[in-house]
Short mmCIF file of all heavy atoms in Angstrom, two decimals:
data_model
loop_
_atom_site.label_atom_id
_atom_site.label_comp_id
_atom_site.label_asym_id
_atom_site.label_seq_id
_atom_site.Cartn_x
_atom_site.Cartn_y
_atom_site.Cartn_z
N LEU A 20 9.91 3.74 15.98
CA LEU A 20 9.98 3.34 14.58
C LEU A 20 8.56 3.11 14.09
O LEU A 20 7.68 2.67 14.86
CB LEU A 20 10.77 2.03 14.42
CG LEU A 20 12.12 1.95 15.17
CD1 LEU A 20 11.95 1.28 16.53
CD2 LEU A 20 13.15 1.17 14.38
N VAL A 21 8.33 3.38 12.80
CA VAL A 21 6.96 3.21 12.26
C VAL A 21 6.98 2.47 10.94
O VAL A 21 7.92 2.57 10.15
CB VAL A 21 6.28 4.59 12.11
CG1 VAL A 21 6.88 5.43 11.01
CG2 VAL A 21 4.78 4.43 11.89
N CYS A 22 5.94 1.70 10.70
CA CYS A 22 5.65 1.00 9.46
C CYS A 22 6.72 -0.06 9.13
O CYS A 22 6.84 -1.05 9.82
CB CYS A 22 5.45 2.02 8.34
SG CYS A 22 4.56 1.38 6.91
N HIS A 23 7.54 0.15 8.08
CA HIS A 23 8.58 -0.81 7.74
C HIS A 23 9.88 -0.55 8.48
O HIS A 23 10.77 -1.39 8.47
CB HIS A 23 8.86 -0.80 6.23
CG HIS A 23 7.75 -1.35 5.40
ND1 HIS A 23 6.73 -0.57 4.91
CD2 HIS A 23 7.50 -2.62 4.96
CE1 HIS A 23 5.90 -1.33 4.21
NE2 HIS A 23 6.34 -2.57 4.24
N ALA A 24 9.99 0.56 9.17
CA ALA A 24 11.24 0.91 9.83
C ALA A 24 11.61 -0.03 10.97
O ALA A 24 12.80 -0.16 11.27
CB ALA A 24 11.17 2.35 10.34
N PRO A 25 10.67 -0.73 11.66
CA PRO A 25 11.10 -1.70 12.67
C PRO A 25 12.04 -2.78 12.13
O PRO A 25 12.63 -3.51 12.91
CB PRO A 25 9.78 -2.27 13.18
CG PRO A 25 8.82 -1.13 13.05
CD PRO A 25 9.20 -0.50 11.73
N ALA A 26 12.19 -2.85 10.81
CA ALA A 26 13.20 -3.75 10.21
C ALA A 26 14.58 -3.41 10.77
O ALA A 26 15.45 -4.29 10.85
CB ALA A 26 13.20 -3.64 8.71
N ALA A 27 14.79 -2.15 11.13
CA ALA A 27 16.08 -1.71 11.66
C ALA A 27 16.41 -2.40 13.00
O ALA A 27 17.56 -2.35 13.45
CB ALA A 27 16.10 -0.20 11.82
N LEU A 28 15.40 -3.03 13.62
CA LEU A 28 15.62 -3.69 14.91
C LEU A 28 16.17 -5.11 14.74
O LEU A 28 16.49 -5.77 15.73
CB LEU A 28 14.30 -3.75 15.68
CG LEU A 28 13.69 -2.40 16.09
CD1 LEU A 28 12.27 -2.60 16.59
CD2 LEU A 28 14.55 -1.72 17.15
N LYS A 29 16.24 -5.59 13.52
CA LYS A 29 16.58 -6.99 13.23
C LYS A 29 17.80 -7.49 13.98
O LYS A 29 17.81 -8.59 14.55
CB LYS A 29 16.76 -7.20 11.72
CG LYS A 29 17.02 -8.67 11.35
CD LYS A 29 17.17 -8.80 9.83
CE LYS A 29 17.40 -10.26 9.48
NZ LYS A 29 17.57 -10.43 7.99
N ASN A 30 18.87 -6.72 13.96
CA ASN A 30 20.13 -7.17 14.56
C ASN A 30 20.55 -6.36 15.78
O ASN A 30 21.69 -6.44 16.21
CB ASN A 30 21.26 -7.11 13.50
CG ASN A 30 21.02 -8.14 12.40
OD1 ASN A 30 20.90 -9.31 12.66
ND2 ASN A 30 20.92 -7.67 11.16
N VAL A 31 19.59 -5.65 16.36
CA VAL A 31 19.85 -4.86 17.57
C VAL A 31 19.76 -5.78 18.78
O VAL A 31 18.81 -6.57 18.91
CB VAL A 31 18.85 -3.70 17.69
CG1 VAL A 31 19.07 -2.94 19.00
CG2 VAL A 31 19.00 -2.76 16.50
N LYS A 32 20.71 -5.67 19.67
CA LYS A 32 20.73 -6.51 20.86
C LYS A 32 20.62 -5.68 22.15
O LYS A 32 21.00 -4.51 22.19
CB LYS A 32 22.01 -7.35 20.91
CG LYS A 32 22.09 -8.40 19.82
CD LYS A 32 23.35 -9.22 19.90
CE LYS A 32 23.30 -10.46 19.00
NZ LYS A 32 23.08 -10.12 17.59
N GLY A 33 20.12 -6.32 23.17
CA GLY A 33 20.07 -5.68 24.47
C GLY A 33 21.36 -5.93 25.23
O GLY A 33 22.30 -6.56 24.74
N LYS A 34 21.42 -5.44 26.46
CA LYS A 34 22.63 -5.60 27.27
C LYS A 34 22.98 -7.06 27.52
O LYS A 34 24.15 -7.40 27.74
CB LYS A 34 22.45 -4.86 28.60
CG LYS A 34 22.44 -3.35 28.48
CD LYS A 34 22.26 -2.69 29.83
CE LYS A 34 22.28 -1.17 29.72
NZ LYS A 34 22.08 -0.50 31.02
N ASP A 35 21.96 -7.92 27.48
CA ASP A 35 22.18 -9.35 27.74
C ASP A 35 22.64 -10.12 26.51
O ASP A 35 22.87 -11.34 26.58
CB ASP A 35 20.91 -10.00 28.32
CG ASP A 35 19.72 -9.87 27.37
OD1 ASP A 35 19.86 -9.27 26.30
OD2 ASP A 35 18.63 -10.38 27.73
N GLY A 36 22.76 -9.45 25.37
CA GLY A 36 23.19 -10.09 24.14
C GLY A 36 22.08 -10.72 23.35
O GLY A 36 22.29 -11.18 22.22
N ALA A 37 20.87 -10.76 23.89
CA ALA A 37 19.71 -11.30 23.17
C ALA A 37 19.12 -10.19 22.31
O ALA A 37 19.39 -9.00 22.51
CB ALA A 37 18.66 -11.79 24.17
N PRO A 38 18.31 -10.58 21.29
CA PRO A 38 17.65 -9.54 20.49
C PRO A 38 16.91 -8.54 21.39
O PRO A 38 16.23 -8.94 22.34
CB PRO A 38 16.68 -10.32 19.62
CG PRO A 38 17.32 -11.68 19.48
CD PRO A 38 17.95 -11.94 20.82
N LEU A 39 17.04 -7.27 21.09
CA LEU A 39 16.42 -6.24 21.92
C LEU A 39 14.92 -6.44 22.06
O LEU A 39 14.35 -6.20 23.14
CB LEU A 39 16.69 -4.84 21.31
CG LEU A 39 16.10 -3.67 22.06
CD1 LEU A 39 16.78 -3.50 23.42
CD2 LEU A 39 16.19 -2.38 21.26
N ILE A 40 14.30 -6.90 20.96
CA ILE A 40 12.83 -7.00 21.00
C ILE A 40 12.33 -8.29 21.63
O ILE A 40 11.13 -8.49 21.77
CB ILE A 40 12.20 -6.83 19.59
CG1 ILE A 40 12.68 -7.96 18.65
CG2 ILE A 40 12.52 -5.46 19.04
CD1 ILE A 40 11.97 -7.93 17.30
N LYS A 41 13.23 -9.20 22.00
CA LYS A 41 12.81 -10.46 22.59
C LYS A 41 11.96 -10.23 23.84
O LYS A 41 12.39 -9.56 24.78
CB LYS A 41 14.01 -11.33 22.94
CG LYS A 41 13.63 -12.72 23.43
CD LYS A 41 14.88 -13.58 23.69
CE LYS A 41 14.46 -14.97 24.18
NZ LYS A 41 15.68 -15.80 24.46
N GLY A 42 10.74 -10.75 23.82
CA GLY A 42 9.85 -10.60 24.95
C GLY A 42 9.17 -9.25 25.05
O GLY A 42 8.42 -9.01 26.01
N LYS A 43 9.36 -8.38 24.08
CA LYS A 43 8.78 -7.04 24.11
C LYS A 43 7.63 -6.92 23.12
O LYS A 43 7.66 -7.55 22.04
CB LYS A 43 9.83 -5.98 23.82
CG LYS A 43 10.90 -5.84 24.87
CD LYS A 43 11.84 -4.70 24.52
CE LYS A 43 12.88 -4.49 25.63
NZ LYS A 43 13.80 -5.61 25.74
N LYS A 44 6.67 -6.10 23.44
CA LYS A 44 5.57 -5.79 22.52
C LYS A 44 6.10 -4.95 21.38
O LYS A 44 6.84 -3.98 21.60
CB LYS A 44 4.43 -5.07 23.25
CG LYS A 44 3.74 -5.89 24.32
CD LYS A 44 2.50 -5.19 24.85
CE LYS A 44 2.88 -3.94 25.64
NZ LYS A 44 1.69 -3.31 26.28
N VAL A 45 5.70 -5.32 20.19
CA VAL A 45 6.20 -4.61 19.01
C VAL A 45 5.19 -4.74 17.87
O VAL A 45 4.41 -5.69 17.82
CB VAL A 45 7.59 -5.16 18.57
CG1 VAL A 45 7.47 -6.59 18.10
CG2 VAL A 45 8.25 -4.28 17.55
N THR A 46 5.17 -3.73 17.00
CA THR A 46 4.33 -3.84 15.81
C THR A 46 5.13 -3.32 14.61
O THR A 46 6.28 -2.90 14.73
CB THR A 46 3.01 -3.04 15.98
OG1 THR A 46 2.14 -3.36 14.87
CG2 THR A 46 3.23 -1.54 16.00
N GLY A 47 4.54 -3.39 13.44
CA GLY A 47 5.14 -2.97 12.19
C GLY A 47 4.19 -3.38 11.09
O GLY A 47 3.16 -4.04 11.32
N TYR A 48 4.52 -3.01 9.87
CA TYR A 48 3.66 -3.32 8.72
C TYR A 48 3.38 -4.81 8.68
O TYR A 48 4.30 -5.62 8.70
CB TYR A 48 4.36 -2.86 7.44
CG TYR A 48 3.41 -2.51 6.32
CD1 TYR A 48 2.56 -1.43 6.42
CD2 TYR A 48 3.41 -3.23 5.14
CE1 TYR A 48 1.71 -1.09 5.36
CE2 TYR A 48 2.57 -2.91 4.08
CZ TYR A 48 1.71 -1.82 4.20
OH TYR A 48 0.89 -1.48 3.16
N SER A 49 2.12 -5.18 8.63
CA SER A 49 1.72 -6.57 8.77
C SER A 49 1.81 -7.34 7.44
O SER A 49 1.80 -6.76 6.35
CB SER A 49 0.28 -6.65 9.29
OG SER A 49 -0.64 -6.15 8.31
N ASN A 50 1.87 -8.66 7.58
CA ASN A 50 1.87 -9.50 6.38
C ASN A 50 0.61 -9.27 5.56
O ASN A 50 0.66 -9.24 4.32
CB ASN A 50 1.94 -10.98 6.78
CG ASN A 50 3.31 -11.38 7.27
OD1 ASN A 50 4.28 -10.65 7.11
ND2 ASN A 50 3.40 -12.55 7.90
N SER A 51 -0.53 -9.11 6.22
CA SER A 51 -1.78 -8.92 5.48
C SER A 51 -1.79 -7.59 4.72
O SER A 51 -2.30 -7.52 3.60
CB SER A 51 -3.00 -8.98 6.44
OG SER A 51 -2.93 -7.97 7.42
N GLU A 52 -1.17 -6.57 5.29
CA GLU A 52 -1.08 -5.28 4.58
C GLU A 52 -0.14 -5.42 3.37
O GLU A 52 -0.43 -4.87 2.30
CB GLU A 52 -0.56 -4.19 5.53
CG GLU A 52 -1.60 -3.76 6.54
CD GLU A 52 -1.05 -2.85 7.62
OE1 GLU A 52 0.05 -3.15 8.16
OE2 GLU A 52 -1.70 -1.84 7.95
N GLU A 53 0.95 -6.17 3.56
CA GLU A 53 1.91 -6.35 2.45
C GLU A 53 1.25 -7.10 1.30
O GLU A 53 1.42 -6.73 0.12
CB GLU A 53 3.12 -7.12 2.95
CG GLU A 53 4.44 -6.76 2.29
CD GLU A 53 4.98 -5.40 2.72
OE1 GLU A 53 5.55 -5.32 3.83
OE2 GLU A 53 4.86 -4.45 1.94
N VAL A 54 0.50 -8.13 1.62
CA VAL A 54 -0.18 -8.92 0.59
C VAL A 54 -1.27 -8.11 -0.10
O VAL A 54 -1.37 -8.07 -1.33
CB VAL A 54 -0.75 -10.23 1.19
CG1 VAL A 54 -1.63 -10.95 0.15
CG2 VAL A 54 0.39 -11.16 1.63
N ALA A 55 -2.08 -7.43 0.71
CA ALA A 55 -3.18 -6.64 0.15
C ALA A 55 -2.66 -5.50 -0.72
O ALA A 55 -3.28 -5.11 -1.70
CB ALA A 55 -4.05 -6.08 1.27
N GLY A 56 -1.48 -4.97 -0.35
CA GLY A 56 -0.89 -3.90 -1.11
C GLY A 56 -0.04 -4.36 -2.28
O GLY A 56 0.54 -3.55 -2.99
N ASN A 57 0.01 -5.69 -2.47
CA ASN A 57 0.76 -6.30 -3.57
C ASN A 57 2.22 -5.82 -3.58
O ASN A 57 2.78 -5.49 -4.65
CB ASN A 57 0.10 -5.98 -4.90
CG ASN A 57 0.59 -6.86 -6.05
OD1 ASN A 57 0.99 -8.01 -5.82
ND2 ASN A 57 0.61 -6.35 -7.26
N SER A 58 2.82 -5.79 -2.40
CA SER A 58 4.18 -5.26 -2.29
C SER A 58 5.17 -6.22 -1.67
O SER A 58 6.25 -5.83 -1.22
CB SER A 58 4.15 -3.96 -1.45
OG SER A 58 3.54 -4.14 -0.19
N THR A 59 4.84 -7.50 -1.65
CA THR A 59 5.76 -8.47 -1.03
C THR A 59 7.13 -8.51 -1.74
O THR A 59 8.14 -8.78 -1.11
CB THR A 59 5.16 -9.89 -1.02
OG1 THR A 59 4.80 -10.25 -2.38
CG2 THR A 59 3.91 -9.94 -0.16
N GLN A 60 7.14 -8.23 -3.04
CA GLN A 60 8.41 -8.25 -3.79
C GLN A 60 9.31 -7.07 -3.46
O GLN A 60 10.49 -7.07 -3.83
CB GLN A 60 8.13 -8.27 -5.31
CG GLN A 60 7.62 -9.62 -5.83
CD GLN A 60 7.56 -9.62 -7.33
OE1 GLN A 60 7.03 -8.70 -7.94
NE2 GLN A 60 8.08 -10.67 -7.95
N GLU A 61 8.76 -6.09 -2.78
CA GLU A 61 9.54 -4.90 -2.40
C GLU A 61 10.33 -5.13 -1.13
O GLU A 61 11.12 -4.26 -0.72
CB GLU A 61 8.61 -3.69 -2.20
CG GLU A 61 7.62 -3.43 -3.33
CD GLU A 61 8.30 -3.02 -4.61
OE1 GLU A 61 9.04 -2.03 -4.60
OE2 GLU A 61 8.12 -3.73 -5.63
N CYS A 62 10.16 -6.30 -0.51
CA CYS A 62 10.74 -6.56 0.82
C CYS A 62 11.79 -7.67 0.74
O CYS A 62 11.57 -8.69 0.08
CB CYS A 62 9.66 -7.00 1.79
SG CYS A 62 8.25 -5.90 1.91
N PRO A 63 12.91 -7.52 1.46
CA PRO A 63 13.90 -8.59 1.53
C PRO A 63 13.46 -9.73 2.42
O PRO A 63 13.97 -10.85 2.33
CB PRO A 63 15.14 -7.90 2.07
CG PRO A 63 14.61 -6.74 2.85
CD PRO A 63 13.37 -6.29 2.14
N PHE A 64 12.49 -9.45 3.28
CA PHE A 64 11.92 -10.47 4.19
C PHE A 64 10.58 -9.93 4.70
O PHE A 64 10.36 -8.71 4.69
CB PHE A 64 12.86 -10.76 5.38
CG PHE A 64 13.32 -9.52 6.10
CD1 PHE A 64 12.53 -8.91 7.09
CD2 PHE A 64 14.55 -8.94 5.80
CE1 PHE A 64 12.96 -7.78 7.75
CE2 PHE A 64 14.98 -7.80 6.47
CZ PHE A 64 14.19 -7.22 7.44
N PRO A 65 9.66 -10.82 5.11
CA PRO A 65 8.41 -10.33 5.69
C PRO A 65 8.67 -9.72 7.06
O PRO A 65 9.19 -10.41 7.95
CB PRO A 65 7.55 -11.59 5.78
CG PRO A 65 8.22 -12.62 4.93
CD PRO A 65 9.68 -12.29 4.99
N LEU A 66 8.35 -8.48 7.24
CA LEU A 66 8.65 -7.78 8.48
C LEU A 66 8.00 -8.44 9.70
O LEU A 66 8.65 -8.65 10.73
CB LEU A 66 8.21 -6.30 8.38
CG LEU A 66 8.43 -5.45 9.63
CD1 LEU A 66 9.91 -5.42 10.03
CD2 LEU A 66 7.90 -4.05 9.41
#
């Protein structure tokens, strides 16, 4: 997944029932990029 698409991981779970990304390295569009791009209103939540 790239940029804002890691939002799709929000409700994904692993075999243990915990969030899939728990304890895993992950990236996505940063808060600083969102603020600098004046696009915070385009998001339902900060990624």
